[in-house]
Amino acid sequence: MAIWNLGSINADFVYAVPHVPAPGETLASTGREVFLGGKGANMSVAAARAAAHVYHIGAVGADGHWAVERLLEYGVDTRNIAEIGTETAQAIIMVNPDGENAIVLHPGANAEIPQATLQTAMAEAQTGDWLVIQNETNLQRTAAALGKKMGLRVAYAAAPFDAERVEAVLAHLDFLILNAVEAAQLEAATGLAPADLPVSDVIVTLGADGAEWFGKDGRQHFPAIAVEPVDTTGAGDTFTGYVLAGLDREMPMAQAIGQAIKAAALMVTRHGTADVIPDLAEVQAFQS
């Protein structure tokens, strides 16, 4: 089987700061690094490092060749990444000493993925493959409807959160993942708690408190692994990629979540985004 990811690709500029700046405050950074990032790219790398066959569907500008090459190096199939006349997306990420962050995102090419690129990719997908979408690109509704029609399993990582965009694809979803704040916002918009959503499997991530899975047998809680965090950027994407890779390899959901929690715990002990996502050997060797 395979995972088809309609996903964002960013250049992540990560600044170490004493604290997240307040409105109007000018603050000198204590360090700066540039990483491959974007929720989509992070998920693709995580799933590939978790031993899944991953096809990334996306777009970059002429300045994004390095990002495509990096994805390829990490085991992601990049043949369905278009080069267009809009610059590659960028994220400005400020990380404080406790690992908390604030992010400014410039959408760039992520918001202009050609529909022809999506259609070309989907022509190769097979019944039972996974299609994953998230809120940093265009074509989400189109992709979800097409994936469902083709018999793909459709997953949605509902971030950055937008209730209308989530509601627009709910009917097509087999799997939805969102954090506790997003779950509360979706409930406020729809009147539906996670257990009542018309989706077979819903995961609500809880940060340091772990995650909750709402499936056919009801709610199940999975505690987090206690570590000393240095940077939480990309931890949720790592978790999602590992869960999807586990499901694609026919793991039971509980086992896939357990493996993903280990991967996310390792991720928050590292500075960076896609470039530092742990591989499967590291996760399996991790002693919690």
Side-chain angles (χ1 to χ4, degrees):
M1 307 307 292
I3 296 172
W4 299 82
N5 182 7
L6 175 65
S8 54
I9 302 170
N10 296 353
D12 281 357
F13 297 88
V14 181
Y15 296 85
V17 292
H19 58 267
V20 175
E25 180 181 11
T26 299
L27 189 64
S29 69
T30 58
R32 175 186 179 275
E33 295 181 274
V34 181
F35 295 96
L36 170 66
K39 296 191 70 62
N42 293 342
M43 291 176 196
S44 283
V45 172
R49 287 187 161 175
H53 191 177
V54 182
Y55 296 85
H56 195 98
I57 307 164
V60 297
D63 58 339
H65 293 171
W66 68 273
V68 177
E69 291 171 0
R70 194 81 58 84
L71 281 166
L72 186 61
E73 290 171 6
Y74 294 147
V76 177
D77 190 305
T78 61
R79 288 175 292 173
N80 295 294
I81 298 175
E83 181 183 322
I84 63 175
T86 302
E87 73 275 11
T88 303
Q90 301 169 18
I92 306 300
I93 304 170
M94 295 168 286
V95 183
N96 72 15
D98 295 325
E100 296 301 321
N101 62 51
I103 302 172
V104 176
L105 180 65
H106 174 61
N110 290 334
E112 299 180 23
I113 299 169
Q115 186 163 329
T117 299
L118 172 65
Q119 292 171 333
T120 298
M122 290 290 89
E124 298 182 36
Q126 302 294 318
T127 300
D129 284 353
W130 280 97
L131 170 67
V132 56
I133 56 178
Q134 33 74 41
N135 271 346
E136 288 183 347
T137 74
N138 60 325
L139 298 177
Q140 295 165 38
R141 185 185 303 188
T142 300
L146 181 58
K148 195 67 172 179
K149 182 178 180 180
M150 293 178 60
L152 307 186
R153 295 176 286 179
V154 183
Y156 191 36
F161 187 76
D162 182 310
E164 290 186 4
R165 296 179 86 177
V166 178
E167 289 183 87
V169 299
L170 267 179
H172 305 302
L173 301 183
D174 299 287
F175 173 52
L176 172 66
I177 184 166
L178 64 176
N179 65 31
V181 173
E182 294 158 353
Q185 292 173 329
L186 185 59
E187 183 171 356
T190 64
L192 299 174
D196 302 320
L197 290 167
V199 182
S200 299
D201 293 291
V202 178
I203 293 178
V204 178
T205 58
L206 306 171
D209 292 325
E212 291 182 335
W213 165 41
F214 299 85
K216 60 182 177 61
D217 296 324
R219 171 185 170 275
Q220 187 171 346
H221 179 76
F222 296 80
I225 297 170
V227 294
E228 191 67 35
V230 299
D231 185 357
T232 59
T233 311
D237 303 333
T238 299
F239 178 90
T240 301
Y242 262 82
V243 169
L244 287 170
L247 296 177
D248 186 61
R249 289 162 42 217
E250 305 301 333
M251 277 186 180
M253 178 66 84
Q255 184 180 354
I257 292 173
Q259 180 172 272
I261 282 176
K262 284 188 174 185
L266 277 172
M267 184 64 178
V268 300
T269 66
R270 302 172 176 186
H271 288 287
T273 45
D275 299 296
V276 297
I277 292 173
D279 63 27
L280 186 58
E282 292 176 290
V283 171
Q284 290 176 335
F286 181 54
Q287 299 297 318
S288 57

